[in-house]
């Protein structure tokens, strides 16, 4: 990996009053990489993006984007970066094309190229049928696509995506993930934040896990998973749904980590497999349940996250209303 | 970089005009309200109306520039759309200036309609160049004051309430309907702190004769207010985000 460093931070810190939102983080993102910042609500992901895009000033530490210091030269860097915030913020009173043409003008795209580029983007993002519709009349998924198109209008080489699939239905989220991969294959460096670990596992080449403003682990998804390699992972499925299955089992095998897959199925990470099986059998007998299946599997990024942070990915997703 | 800033200013002004200002709510607040006042005063006392015309034109400039600033700034702030502008490769102060200039341009359009109507209807002699210069300074100064007040608060209704305070205080204390010379001394002193006072005084001279009679004090005062409001407004605007 000899590509140039496009994002570099050293001891980056942001304090709001008494709250330390970002606490001395240091990391690098290289040209052409698809890098993810993972973490629960309030971990400091959005604050980090706001600092790197010039919307917030760091309290301490250094940050460079495309070689420009974010404190003093962020305007120069902004010419080459695109930002997709968590909340779509297109202009409802403008049409889909109108929004794109405005962004082109704002970023100084030459007049002759603006319409061509806008037409290209509505085609790529499958907005052609609604290009003359007011933005307020299109669906949430389309608005998200339009927000991304706006960020791409000036052909940035570095794209920041803050929780890109939050609030989208399954089909729209899948389509958006495919688009992110496509942009990455075109050579755009992508820096995204997400709390959906399956999304990070699918998309990211490298990821940093951020908890309470601090990076607690950084590496490729395989490296992060490697941190729980050697730990037994058991998936058990019962014949009937059980309310609070994850909590009940966690109390019976406290040394293991629990990830509820649904109300009948749970992944159990770590602990002594023999004791886990005894606990599962006695739980099934006491509650009149039948164990339908027990499998041992490879750890996922969720398990790695659970192990590294001690936070439940399920609760994290619920916080965001998944 | 200057070209980029100018480009961004033009883009934001054009977008704000199309999406906010040239819409019924802004037009009604910017022109219907002053026109109603003008008609009320005219019908009450047609023969003395010429004397009131400078004040009413100044009032039109004040109301029209600030007509939609709360929407243009606070509504966008709430939606997150303002941050989209701040992500553009220009300084925050450039975005603030664009917002101010959009208000001033809308004010110019509304004031031009009212001024033309008043001048033609009353056959008032006017020095157009002087009036234009005073008008531009007044419009930018009012728009910068309005934008500064808007960035002090978050919600549209808070901004509207805050904007009403200087608007109505200035109408009564800046000589729009009641000459400052006839006010008690403390109010006369107070009126010197309002840009509208200098607009009314300057317009009065411009409306009295087609001859050039440069009102340096009014021009300098308006230029000073413009610079002050732009400076503190831009600083406050940037401080809100970083």
């Amino acid at each position: 990996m000899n590509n140039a460093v496009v994002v570099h931070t050293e001891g980056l810190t942001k304090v709001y009053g008494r709250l330390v939102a970002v606490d001395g983080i240091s990391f690098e993102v290289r040209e052409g990489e698809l890098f993810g910042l993972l973490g629960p609500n309030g971990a400091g992901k959005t604050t980090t993006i706001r600092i790197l895009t010039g919307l917030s000033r760091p309290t301490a530490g250094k940050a460079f984007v495309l070689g420009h210091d974010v404190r003093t030269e962020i305007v120069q860097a902004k010419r080459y970066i695109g930002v997709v915030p968590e909340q779509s913020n297109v202009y409802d009173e403008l049409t889909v094309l109108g929004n794109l043409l405005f962004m082109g003008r704002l970023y100084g795209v030459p007049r002759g190229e603006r319409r061509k580029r806008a037409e290209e983007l509505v085609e790529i993002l499958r907005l052609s049928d609604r290009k003359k519709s007011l933005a307020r009349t299109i669906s949430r998924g389309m608005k998200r696509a339009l927000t991304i198109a706006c960020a791409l209008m000036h052909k940035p080489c570095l794209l920041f995506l803050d929780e890109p699939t939050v609030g989208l239905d399954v089909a729209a989220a899948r389509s958006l993930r495919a688009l992110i991969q496509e942009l990455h294959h075109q050579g755009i460096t992508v820096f995204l934040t997400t709390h959906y670990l399956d999304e990070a596992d699918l998309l990211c080449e490298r990821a940093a896990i951020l908890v309470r403003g601090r990076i607690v682990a950084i590496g490729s998804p395989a490296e992060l998973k490697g941190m729980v390699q050697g730990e037994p992972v058991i998936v058990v499925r019962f014949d009937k749904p059980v309310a609070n299955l994850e909590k009940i089992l966690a109390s019976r095998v406290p040394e293991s980590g629990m990830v509820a897959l649904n109300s009948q199925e749970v992944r159990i990470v770590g602990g002594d497999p023999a004791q886990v099986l005894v606990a599962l059998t006695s739980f099934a007998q006491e509650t009149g349940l039948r164990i339908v299946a027990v499998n041992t599997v490879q750890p996922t990024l969720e398990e790695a996250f659970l192990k590294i942070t001690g936070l439940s990915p399920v609760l994290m997703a619920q916080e965001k209303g998944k | 970089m200057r070209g980029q800033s100018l480009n961004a200013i033009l883009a934001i002004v054009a977008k704000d005009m199309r999406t906010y200002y040239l819409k019924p709510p802004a037009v009604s607040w910017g022109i219907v309200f002053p026109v109603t006042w003008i008609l009320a005063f005219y019908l009450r006392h047609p023969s003395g109306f010429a004397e009131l015309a400078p004040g009413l034109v100044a009032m039109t400039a004040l109301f029209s520039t600030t007509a939609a600033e709360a929407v243009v700034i606070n509504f966008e702030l709430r939606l997150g759309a303002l941050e989209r502008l701040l992500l553009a490769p220009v300084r925050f102060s450039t975005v603030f200036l664009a917002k101010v200039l959009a208000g001033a341009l809308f004010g110019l359009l509304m004031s031009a309609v009212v001024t033309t109507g008043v001048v033609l209807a009353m056959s008032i002699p006017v020095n157009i160049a002087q009036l234009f210069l005073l008008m531009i300074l007044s419009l930018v100064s009012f728009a910068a004051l309005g934008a500064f007040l808007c960035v002090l608060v978050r919600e549209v209704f808070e901004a509207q309430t805050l904007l009403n305070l200087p608007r109505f205080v200035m109408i009564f204390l800046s000589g729009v309907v009641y000459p400052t010379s006839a006010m008690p001394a403390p109010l006369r002193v107070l009126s010197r702190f309002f840009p509208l006072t200098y607009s009314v005084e300057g317009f009065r001279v411009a409306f009295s004769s087609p001859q050039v009679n440069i009102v340096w004090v009014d021009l300098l005062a308006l230029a000073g207010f413009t610079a002050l409001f732009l400076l503190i407004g831009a600083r406050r605007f940037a401080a809100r985000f970083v």
Side-chain angles (χ1 to χ4, degrees), chain A residues 14 50 53-57 75-76 78-79 83-85 87-94 98 102-103 105-109 114 147 150-151, chain B residues 1 4 7-12 14-16 18-20 23 76 78-92 99 241-242:
Chain A
K14 179 71 185 183
R50 290 179 69 82
T53 55
L55 288 178
S56 188
R57 194 180 285 273
V75 175
Q76 286 94 308
K78 281 177 178 178
R79 295 165 74 107
V83 185
V84 180
Q87 191 187 7
S88 296
N89 57 2
V90 295
Y91 291 100
D92 282 349
E93 301 298 319
L94 296 179
F102 168 66
M103 291 306 290
R105 196 172 175 194
L106 188 65
Y107 277 80
V109 176
R114 259 180 244 155
T147 309
C150 285
Chain B
M1 197 59 84
Q4 174 68 54
N7 213 31
I9 287 172
L10 293 174
I12 295 169
K15 189 267 299 170
D16 280 356
R18 200 164 55 208
T19 53
Y20 304 117
K23 292 281 168 80
E76 283 203 354
R78 188 116 187 93
L79 285 182
L82 196 58
E83 287 199 353
R84 180 157 285 292
L85 304 181
L86 299 178
L87 288 166
V90 291
R91 293 181 185 284
F92 285 9
K99 293 286 178 189
F241 293 94
V242 296

Side-chain angles (χ1 to χ4, degrees), chain A residues 157-173:
Chain A
C157 59
L158 170 60
L159 184 64
F160 289 93
L161 296 147
D162 194 5
E163 301 278 6
T165 56
V166 163
L168 296 186
D169 60 40
V170 176

Side-chain angles (χ1 to χ4, degrees), chain A residues 56-76:
Chain A
S56 188
R57 194 180 285 273
T59 310
K62 293 176 186 170
F64 296 88
V65 173
L66 299 166
H68 298 285
D69 188 333
V70 297
R71 286 176 191 273
T72 53
E73 302 165 337
I74 191 64
V75 175
Q76 286 94 308

Side-chain angles (χ1 to χ4, degrees), chain B residues 99-180:
Chain B
K99 293 286 178 189
V100 169
L101 292 179
L105 179 61
F106 178 70
L108 181 63
L109 295 175
M110 298 295 109
S111 304
V113 172
V114 170
T115 308
T116 307
V118 166
V119 168
L120 292 180
M122 304 298 300
S123 303
I124 298 172
V126 62
N127 182 298
I128 292 170
Q130 186 158 320
L131 178 67
F132 184 75
L133 187 58
L134 282 160
M135 182 63 86
I136 294 295
L137 283 172
S138 301
L139 292 167
V140 180
S141 150
F142 300 152
L145 171 63
F148 164 64
L149 293 174
C150 286
V151 296
L152 294 178
V153 292
R154 183 164 181 88
E155 303 294 338
V156 173
F157 74 89
E158 290 174 312
Q160 291 285 24
T161 309
L162 194 58
L163 282 170
N164 276 339
L165 187 72
R167 277 198 289 227
F168 286 103
V169 167
M170 283 200 277
I171 283 177
F172 289 105
L173 296 182
S174 294
V176 170
V177 286
Y178 192 71
T180 53

Side-chain angles (χ1 to χ4, degrees), chain A residues 6-7 29-33 65-68 76-83 117 151-152 154-160 183-184 186-191:
Chain A
V6 290
V7 176
V29 179
R30 293 189 171 270
E31 190 180 359
E33 227 183 345
V65 173
L66 299 166
H68 298 285
Q76 286 94 308
K78 281 177 178 178
R79 295 165 74 107
Y80 308 103
I81 64 177
V83 185
R117 177 76 179 147
L152 294 172
H154 59 293
K155 296 188 177 175
C157 59
L158 170 60
L159 184 64
F160 289 93
L183 293 170
H184 174 235
Q186 285 171 15
I188 296 177
T189 308
V190 179
F191 182 115

Side-chain angles (χ1 to χ4, degrees), chain A residues 103-123:
Chain A
M103 291 306 290
R105 196 172 175 194
L106 188 65
Y107 277 80
V109 176
R111 184 192 285 262
E113 288 175 29
R114 259 180 244 155
R115 185 160 285 276
K116 190 170 161 256
R117 177 76 179 147
E119 294 281 0
E120 263 173 29
L121 286 168
V122 292
E123 199 65 45

